Amino acid sequence: MKNYLQLTRHTGNNALFLAVEMSLVSTLQGRPLHIHAEGLRGTGKTTIMRSVTQILPKITRIKGCLYNCEPERPHCPQHKNMTPEEIAALGTEQIPVPFLEISHSAKIGTVAGTIDLAKLTNPSRPEAALLPGIIPQAHRGIVFVDEINRLADTSPEITDVLLDAMGTKPGRVQIEETGLPVVEVPVAVSVWAASNPDEEPGPLAEIRRQLSDRFDLVIPMGRPTTPEEVVDILTTEEAKNDRELSEQERSQLEQLRKNLENIALHSDLTMPDYLTTFLANLYINFNIESLRALEAIRQAALLHCALRKRSQVMISDIMAVLPLALYHRVSPATLTEIMNTVNNRMVGNEKEKENGKRSAQGRQLPPIFHNKKGDKRQMSEDSPPEKARLLRDLPENGIIRKESERF
């Protein structure tokens, strides 16, 4: 078994490690964060995502509930109308955060739900009942879809179920079976996906744009860039493959698990007004199509700040997640302009914002930018940068590296 903590981190996959930990914290808080890793075969997308099962914290559910009902807020057909006393009589249990996969051979009933044949064929007490599918059973957890671009191309009915589950937070799943009433179940599920855009049928954004937009963050995976990183990967593969974890490794994983759980439990950050205004100006000035982009940036920035155990969200948190939230929503040229505008023209420093610089009216000032002549302007003015640089020319801490020019 490959230890999550000992998987080699490099410039090409650091963003994915960050994304899975942010999504896990957000899932524990009851708000899904959907992430999609795109990259060439062999870049470790699936390995990183599946290894997260080693650090999944536990959740409390009504004992034996396949829908993972919270004792205080039961939602499934069996428990939602029960009184607190009846719920208490059933008891509770702790289970790891659900992590389920949708395979390419899955049927619509497997994913959404179908008739429970075991109960229907019970000779002593036959009854017609529903068996929840993968998505309802992953409530309060994670659903992983490998090669999601292929699934979107070959299984449009499963794609429609994913659209319902990811459309709102929480989403919903509708289960329909002949002879039974239609059942609609709320689901709070973070959908994780991986794909190779260079293979058939191509990038997800070109196959099902609506599904692509449902992902809050898209992480383009890159290759290792130094011989030392490659050697480290090969050494880890040889030393850690197909063996049980040591006691020390288990202890390290448990420490990380508790750390993520504590962050989810105690983080109550909010976005400052001036940063909300900053995001609104980005949306207007650069004609960003989807409002989901702003929601994703705000949610991810709060999580980025929480993982760093800071008490106030800063512009640097937005800068860290902005390219991941816009990667699949704007053109490369627009993304470059946005990053250049913020990186090159913002004046002041994070300390000034953190200390709460105020105007004469007591309101926090929005970010101010300089042009080359030294004139100040507010972000709300529609003035693109004089010259946009290529993505690969930006500093590493300004934007993630790209796999190829098509990304």
Side-chain angles (χ1 to χ4, degrees):
M1 181 182 295
K2 298 174 182 176
N3 186 337
Y4 173 79
L5 291 175
Q6 292 184 335
L7 292 174
T8 302
R9 302 190 180 206
H10 53 80
T11 52
N13 67 13
N14 270 330
L16 182 55
F17 280 101
L18 172 65
V20 296
E21 292 178 12
M22 288 195 302
S23 182
L24 185 52
V25 169
S26 195
T27 302
L28 290 171
Q29 294 174 335
R31 184 172 176 80
L33 182 74
H34 310 301
I35 61 176
H36 175 199
E38 279 192 339
L40 301 178
R41 56 197 173 278
T43 48
K45 308 177 295 295
T46 302
T47 298
I48 293 172
M49 288 181 161
R50 285 178 175 159
S51 68
V52 172
T53 55
Q54 298 175 351
I55 59 171
L56 293 176
K58 295 194 175 192
I59 59 172
T60 302
R61 71 175 184 182
I62 296 174
K63 192 171 184 178
C65 180
L66 295 178
Y67 295 84
N68 301 322
C69 274
E70 291 184 78
E72 299 81 11
R73 291 182 293 274
H75 71 285
C76 78
Q78 181 180 356
H79 300 124
K80 66 179 180 180
N81 295 321
M82 286 187 173
T83 65
E85 293 74 21
E86 291 172 326
I87 296 295
L90 292 175
T92 62
E93 62 182 351
Q94 285 197 324
I95 64 167
V97 168
F99 187 100
L100 303 178
E101 294 192 32
I102 296 178
S103 70
H104 288 252
S105 61
K107 306 300 180 185
I108 186 69
T110 309
V111 175
T114 186
I115 294 176
D116 190 336
L117 294 178
K119 291 184 177 180
L120 187 64
T121 58
N122 187 336
S124 61
R125 189 184 174 186
E127 62 176 319
L130 288 174
L131 179 67
I134 292 172
I135 293 179
Q137 289 190 52
H139 178 64
R140 302 168 63 194
I142 297 159
V143 165
F144 175 58
V145 187
D146 199 9
E147 297 182 349
I148 193 169
N149 52 340
R150 287 179 49 209
L151 184 75
D153 185 53
T154 60
S155 302
E157 67 283 356
I158 294 180
T159 302
D160 290 338
V161 176
L162 287 172
L163 287 172
D164 284 342
M166 300 167 68
T168 55
K169 297 181 180 182
R172 68 180 186 92
V173 167
Q174 187 166 295
I175 308 173
E176 302 178 22
E177 281 291 349
T178 304
L180 293 175
V182 175
V183 174
E184 186 175 295
V185 182
V187 288
V189 173
S190 292
V191 178
W192 294 6
S195 69
N196 180 353
D198 281 349
E199 292 185 354
E200 292 295 335
L204 179 63
E206 296 178 7
I207 301 166
R208 198 72 183 265
R209 189 178 181 87
Q210 190 179 16
L211 179 61
S212 177
D213 184 55
R214 292 287 202 273
F215 284 98
D216 298 297
L217 309 177
V218 170
I219 304 94
M221 294 286 289
R223 299 164 60 244
T225 54
T226 67
E228 291 77 15
E229 291 171 344
V230 176
V231 169
D232 189 41
I233 292 172
L234 295 177
T235 304
T236 303
E237 287 284 332
E238 183 178 4
K240 303 300 177 184
N241 200 25
D242 297 327
R243 74 163 179 83
E244 291 296 325
L245 299 178
S246 68
E247 193 63 35
Q248 181 181 5
E249 290 169 339
R250 293 183 187 277
S251 177
Q252 291 172 340
L253 290 171
E254 181 62 26
Q255 185 60 44
L256 176 57
R257 183 185 298 116
K258 289 181 179 179
N259 186 39
L260 294 175
E261 195 170 13
N262 287 335
I263 291 173
L265 185 63
H266 298 109
S267 176
D268 57 352
L269 297 170
T270 57
M271 183 70 74
D273 289 343
Y274 83 98
L275 289 182
T276 301
T277 302
F278 171 74
L279 293 179
N281 286 328
L282 282 181
Y283 177 80
I284 297 298
N285 290 351
F286 291 95
N287 297 316
I288 299 173
E289 180 180 340
S290 175
L291 280 170
R292 283 196 181 94
L294 301 190
E295 295 169 354
I297 295 169
R298 180 175 60 183
Q299 183 182 358
L302 292 171
L303 292 165
H304 186 271
C305 179
L307 283 174
R308 275 140 189 81
K309 299 183 179 180
R310 287 193 269 98
S311 60
Q312 183 173 353
V313 183
M314 298 186 292
I315 190 69
S316 60
D317 296 305
I318 290 180
M319 292 304 302
V321 302
L322 189 147
L324 305 179
L326 296 183
Y327 176 81
H328 55 307
R329 292 184 168 107
V330 301
S331 68
T334 300
L335 179 55
T336 302
E337 287 187 2
I338 292 173
M339 298 302 296
N340 283 339
T341 298
V342 179
N343 275 333
N344 298 338
R345 301 181 180 223
M346 189 167 55
V347 297
N349 54 47
E350 292 292 350
K351 182 180 291 188
E352 290 177 324
K353 294 180 177 62
E354 196 169 10
N355 291 337
K357 186 178 179 181
R358 302 286 172 175
S359 65
Q361 292 77 23
R363 294 178 60 87
Q364 198 156 8
L365 294 172
I368 299 174
F369 298 85
H370 282 290
N371 59 24
K372 289 186 176 179
K373 296 179 180 179
D375 299 328
K376 293 183 179 180
R377 66 177 179 88
Q378 301 294 332
M379 182 63 193
S380 57
E381 294 180 11
D382 189 8
S383 177
E386 283 80 354
K387 184 178 180 181
R389 288 180 293 165
L390 295 175
L391 293 176
R392 62 174 178 267
D393 293 333
L394 291 174
E396 287 185 16
N397 60 356
I399 191 169
I400 50 178
R401 291 190 176 185
K402 301 300 174 181
E403 183 67 39
S404 62
E405 291 184 2
R406 65 175 296 178
F407 293 153

